[in-house]
Amino acid sequence: MPVQSRRKFLHSLSTSGFALLGTGQATAAGHFTPSPQDVQFSIVLRDGWEFRLDPAAADAPSDVQDHASDWQAVQVPHTWQSLGRSPEYSGVAWYRLRLQAPAGWASRHVRTEFEAVSHTAHVFLNGKPIGKHVGKGYTAFSIDLSPHLKPGEENTLLVRVDNRPGDRMLPRNKSYDWTDDGGVIRPVNLLVTPQSFLERVEIDALPDLAAANAEIRIRAMVRNVASRSQKVDVRVVVRREGTADELLQLGPVTATVEANGDRVVEIGPVLLRNPSLWHFDSPCLYTACVELKSPSGVHQVVETFGIRKFEIRGSAFFLNGEKVSLIGVERMAGSHPELGMAESDEWIDSNHRDMKTLNCIFTRVHWAQDRRVLDFCDRHGILMQEEVPAWGPETFHDTTDEVQHALEQNGLEQLREMIHRDRNHPCIVAWGLCNEVDGKNPRTRQFARTISAEARRLDPSRLQTYASNSLDTNPGADMAGDLDFVSANEYYGSWAPGGPGDAEAYLDRIRKAFPGKPVVVSEYGWCECQPSIMPGDENRVDIINSHTEAFRRFPEVAGAIYFDYNDYRTLVGDKGAGALRQRVHGVVDLYSQPKPSFEALRRQCSPIENAALRKSGENRYELEIRTRQQLPGYRLRGYSLRWLAYGYDDLPMEGRVTELPSLQPGSSQTYEATFAVPGIRRVVVDVIRPTGFSALTVKHLGQSAEK
């Protein structure tokens, strides 16, 4: 039987004999034939859930189980704070799932993995408490079901969810600016494995650019829940994703895992010759099939990874040995009023395709992201800075020693869970420690140093930063200089009075305070969030154009991230009500309908600075393009031009594709195409990235060209 990653189905519900029992649903469990020892399952628990709000905030399952009429059927992921539900309710709610576990699972180990519950979960099986996850609303966790599971019988899984603000967790109280949607907001998976299994796999793939090879190291975190120690063999096969050819075989490595114990099994290092490097324009991926054999059976996990080197040299970023100047846009998740934080596959995909259309190659996020977001960025080429959700100046304001310690422990736990789950994603190039927390506060610095040291221990390969809004005066006193690069939020003309000249002066002070360090403008934009701010997307267009151009005057500015892609739902929104409480901040609205500023941002983020399309003869057209030197600035490889001539009834009648040579930043080239079709009304040319997304569109209408 084929064995795949835990992120995918390994066995269908019908063939496993597994049944979900919801309200008014008949028992549908089939007869279960005991599986061979090497059978494993990963089942997405989407349907069959029941839900109820609990304003009384009961602690025990017995206090809510008997309220049959109060339960309603739902699908997971789910939040109660979306449109048509209870958007204003903050408190306790319950989720219930009844399931028929096959008798054959008595010899298996069964866990349930919650990819995120916002923000606190207490989990019960058949009335018994089996685990909790407190004050960590965006990281994944798993709970063992086996100790209280009844194979061959009906089982009841209950999850008590609480999203009330807290003083000892991050984000702290209400000191943050996004939606506080409560619920089981990301997928839930049932994991059925042998008693010795792979709990997690870590992959380091570091290229040696001069030698044209890559060193692969793999660490398998093995867990044994059996009552006796078990001898295990671990082996790995590495392939190019989507191919069957085995590029590398590692192991087997033999180890003994104590009863009810854990062990890290290290495999490698081994060299991969002439690897294909991951790049935002050529996001090549590999797979590592990690197989564990033990007396209790065989367990396999397939992990996807990329090979790339992202580093700092002087005040610049380098990707795979080449200097890159990066630009992009941030997206605020949870902003579709009818989905909230319980986002669908289709919504995540469409939002990020918009971001690629905006020429986004660099983004940051305020909290640990959905796996599906990271998978998109891996496969389509977006560099990401993922962050611990320590947000806002109130976070470390006047904290007692007790509260400070609790916040640090919560931050450490969220950091560990984020890195453990996400470290194999090549899209992630930096860990963000916090955002706008007053970097001159000694308590803030204490927190950052604690978190930074742990991040270095867990993942020394990635850069670290924090996004500061306290660099306007005496920037050298800010803790921004303690980390690998300086991230500066800039809102002159919106949150703060001023304009592009003030932005220039601000960046000049920062670069002088931290000489030799890269500077990233981690946020800039136009928010209609204050009474003095007049509405009008034309103001957003002006900020996009004038401030981006101001940043380009500083070679130390290695990156810029526009805030933000979308108007976003937030608990402190100054516009709208209920599920539509929002900040008007984006180049698209809550439903992702684009504003005029969308096209302005797309042009500013394009690696093509200028493109002139003109008619050079009968049915012959000439395109002259110039690539940008900075923001963004990088070598264009594998790009092409797609020419389309529109004629009859203004429909596309003829096309051409011109493959472009490698183009350096700041270079110019001219290309020509001739068409045979008569009556051409217009010509449209797209500069196409190797990933298939358009970097720029130029149109020739009669005697003129339009971008």
Side-chain angles (χ1 to χ4, degrees):
M1 184 186 74
V3 186
Q4 305 172 29
S5 166
R6 68 203 309 203
R7 299 178 190 172
K8 305 173 183 177
F9 279 105
L10 299 182
H11 212 52
S12 70
L13 298 184
S14 59
T15 57
S16 71
F18 179 81
L20 305 178
L21 307 179
T23 303
Q25 191 175 357
T27 302
H31 296 289
F32 181 82
T33 302
S35 304
Q37 282 193 325
D38 62 348
V39 169
Q40 63 189 64
F41 303 92
S42 177
I43 301 169
V44 178
L45 299 179
R46 179 175 181 268
D47 300 306
W49 290 88
E50 300 167 284
F51 165 79
R52 70 181 298 266
L53 296 177
D54 183 16
D59 291 322
S62 57
D63 295 332
V64 296
Q65 283 277 52
D66 296 334
H67 298 270
S69 61
D70 294 340
W71 293 89
Q72 55 183 287
V74 298
Q75 289 181 329
V76 164
H78 174 270
T79 175
W80 64 77
Q81 290 180 279
S82 56
L83 188 63
R85 294 173 179 164
S86 304
E88 302 290 356
Y89 177 76
S90 179
V92 173
W94 293 79
Y95 291 83
R96 179 170 68 186
L97 181 69
R98 293 183 291 162
L99 56 93
Q100 187 77 25
W105 286 2
S107 62
R108 307 280 88 193
H109 184 67
V110 184
R111 293 169 290 154
T112 183
E113 178 194 42
F114 296 87
E115 295 192 21
V117 175
S118 181
H119 56 71
T120 290
H122 289 81
V123 185
F124 304 83
L125 183 64
N126 300 323
K128 304 291 185 182
I130 60 171
K132 61 185 178 180
H133 193 248
V134 178
K136 296 170 286 185
Y138 310 108
T139 51
F141 63 99
S142 63
I143 302 288
D144 289 351
L145 302 186
S146 286
H148 296 285
L149 190 71
K150 300 175 181 177
E153 300 181 34
E154 179 182 310
N155 294 262
T156 301
L157 182 68
L158 272 171
V159 185
R160 182 186 187 271
V161 179
D162 190 348
N163 76 326
R164 290 173 292 185
D167 191 46
R168 289 164 168 76
M169 54 168 275
L170 299 170
R172 185 184 178 201
N173 295 324
K174 293 188 175 183
S175 64
Y176 61 105
D177 184 16
W178 59 85
T179 180
D180 60 346
D181 287 353
V184 182
I185 60 171
R186 293 182 189 158
V188 181
N189 309 297
L190 193 72
L191 309 176
V192 183
T193 66
Q195 292 185 327
S196 287
F197 58 91
L198 295 159
E199 190 164 39
R200 192 175 77 254
V201 172
E202 296 182 352
I203 302 172
D204 288 328
L206 183 65
D208 184 328
L209 302 175
N213 59 39
E215 183 182 85
I216 311 296
R217 292 177 180 267
I218 294 177
R219 287 177 298 280
M221 284 60 182
V222 180
R223 186 173 166 204
N224 173 28
V225 298
S227 57
R228 297 180 180 178
S229 64
Q230 294 208 356
K231 184 178 179 181
V232 301
D233 287 333
V234 182
R235 68 180 70 222
V236 182
V237 173
V238 174
R239 298 180 176 89
R240 178 83 177 258
E241 189 182 47
T243 69
D245 294 340
E246 296 183 0
L247 301 177
L248 292 175
Q249 293 190 24
L250 293 79
V253 174
T254 301
T256 299
V257 187
E258 297 301 319
N260 295 306
D262 303 279
R263 180 160 182 177
V264 178
V265 178
E266 298 198 18
I267 309 111
V270 66
L271 291 182
L272 176 63
R273 305 291 180 184
N274 298 311
S276 296
L277 301 183
W278 190 96
H279 186 281
F280 49 78
D281 272 339
S282 55
C284 174
L285 296 172
Y286 291 85
T287 59
C289 179
V290 186
E291 179 184 81
L292 175 116
K293 289 185 177 180
S294 72
S296 66
V298 177
H299 184 210
Q300 290 183 348
V301 167
V302 177
E303 280 290 325
T304 303
F305 68 100
I307 301 170
R308 56 113 185 97
K309 187 173 186 179
F310 189 79
E311 60 185 326
I312 290 172
R313 299 181 192 173
S315 59
F317 291 140
F318 283 75
L319 176 60
N320 301 330
E322 291 186 4
K323 183 179 177 181
V324 290
S325 173
L326 306 172
I327 198 165
V329 58
E330 182 174 349
R331 167 187 178 262
M332 294 292 278
S335 291
H336 190 299
E338 293 153 49
L339 298 174
M341 282 288 188
E343 296 186 313
S344 66
D345 293 356
E346 295 78 11
W347 184 248
I348 289 172
D349 185 80
S350 68
N351 277 197
H352 286 83
R353 287 186 180 277
D354 269 1
M355 291 170 66
K356 289 297 296 185
T357 299
L358 286 165
N359 287 300
C360 176
I361 56 169
F362 185 38
T363 190
R364 62 179 284 246
V365 287
H366 288 316
W367 62 89
Q369 293 296 286
D370 194 300
R371 281 176 179 158
R372 295 167 291 177
V373 170
L374 303 181
D375 287 343
F376 184 98
C377 294
D378 282 347
R379 297 180 186 285
H380 299 282
I382 299 177
L383 301 170
M384 175 178 284
Q385 175 181 308
E386 193 175 29
E387 299 182 3
V388 175
W391 194 99
E394 296 303 313
T395 303
F396 302 106
H397 180 67
D398 288 340
T399 56
T400 64
D401 290 345
E402 180 185 1
V403 169
Q404 179 75 21
H405 177 73
L407 292 174
E408 289 176 9
Q409 292 307 304
N410 181 265
L412 286 169
E413 290 171 14
Q414 294 199 53
L415 176 85
R416 289 169 186 144
E417 291 177 354
M418 179 174 70
I419 292 179
H420 286 163
R421 190 200 67 177
D422 297 341
R423 73 184 310 282
N424 295 339
H425 287 278
C427 67
I428 298 177
V429 294
W431 302 118
L433 307 186
C434 34
N435 177 81
E436 297 188 354
V437 287
D438 183 4
K440 297 169 184 173
N441 178 353
R443 290 289 205 185
T444 299
R445 203 171 216 136
Q446 175 185 329
F447 171 85
R449 285 174 174 166
T450 301
I451 299 295
S452 174
E454 183 67 353
R456 296 273 187 230
R457 184 185 72 83
L458 293 172
D459 183 17
S461 70
R462 284 184 173 88
L463 303 177
Q464 297 180 10
T465 190
Y466 106 96
S468 178
N469 69 336
S470 48
L471 294 167
D472 49 342
T473 58
N474 192 18
D478 196 276
M479 72 178 189
D482 299 348
L483 302 168
D484 295 318
F485 61 94
V486 176
S487 292
N489 293 351
E490 183 273 296
Y491 284 109
Y492 289 104
S494 177
W495 284 104
D502 299 279
E504 285 188 46
Y506 172 68
L507 290 172
D508 190 49
R509 291 192 294 272
I510 292 171
R511 68 171 182 148
K512 289 176 179 175
F514 307 109
K517 274 188 181 288
V519 176
V520 169
V521 180
S522 41
E523 291 182 30
Y524 71 110
W526 173 268
C527 181
E528 299 173 20
C529 309
Q530 302 179 73
S532 60
I533 298 293
M534 298 300 293
D537 191 59
E538 65 276 6
N539 299 304
R540 197 165 290 109
V541 172
D542 179 65
I543 292 281
I544 289 169
N545 291 330
S546 62
H547 286 236
T548 309
E549 288 296 340
F551 305 156
R552 291 188 176 118
R553 296 187 174 94
F554 297 93
E556 297 88 350
V557 176
I561 301 172
Y562 185 79
F563 191 87
D564 70 333
Y565 161 69
N566 51 341
D567 295 344
Y568 60 95
R569 297 176 59 244
T570 171
L571 59 86
V572 293
D574 60 296
K575 306 287 192 303
L580 281 83
R581 188 187 305 273
Q582 63 186 279
R583 295 276 202 204
V584 177
H585 219 308
V587 298
V588 303
D589 67 15
L590 293 180
Y591 287 93
S592 286
Q593 294 302 303
K595 307 173 186 178
S597 53
F598 185 99
E599 189 57 34
L601 185 60
R602 168 171 154 79
R603 289 197 301 271
Q604 287 291 345
C605 293
S606 174
I608 309 300
E609 181 176 14
N610 289 308
L613 178 61
R614 50 187 170 264
K615 192 172 183 179
S616 57
E618 186 63 28
N619 279 14
R620 189 167 66 248
Y621 293 83
E622 187 178 81
L623 176 69
E624 181 182 4
I625 62 174
R626 179 175 178 81
T627 60
R628 290 194 193 276
Q629 186 71 43
Q630 187 185 16
L631 293 179
Y634 47 87
R635 184 182 298 179
L636 275 57
R637 288 192 187 90
Y639 281 61
S640 61
L641 302 178
R642 184 185 63 207
W643 308 71
L644 290 176
Y646 289 73
Y648 169 78
D649 205 20
D650 201 31
L651 298 173
M653 293 289 112
E654 191 176 355
R656 296 278 187 277
V657 173
T658 304
E659 302 296 332
L660 299 184
S662 178
L663 299 176
Q664 293 284 0
S667 62
S668 297
Q669 295 286 338
T670 300
Y671 305 93
E672 192 175 73
T674 302
F675 300 98
V677 65
I680 294 177
R681 296 188 180 188
R682 61 188 174 105
V683 172
V684 178
V685 185
D686 277 277
V687 181
I688 304 295
R689 294 179 181 272
T691 51
F693 293 92
S694 170
L696 187 73
T697 304
V698 189
K699 303 174 184 178
H700 188 279
L701 307 174
Q703 298 301 312
S704 63
E706 175 186 310
K707 294 181 186 177

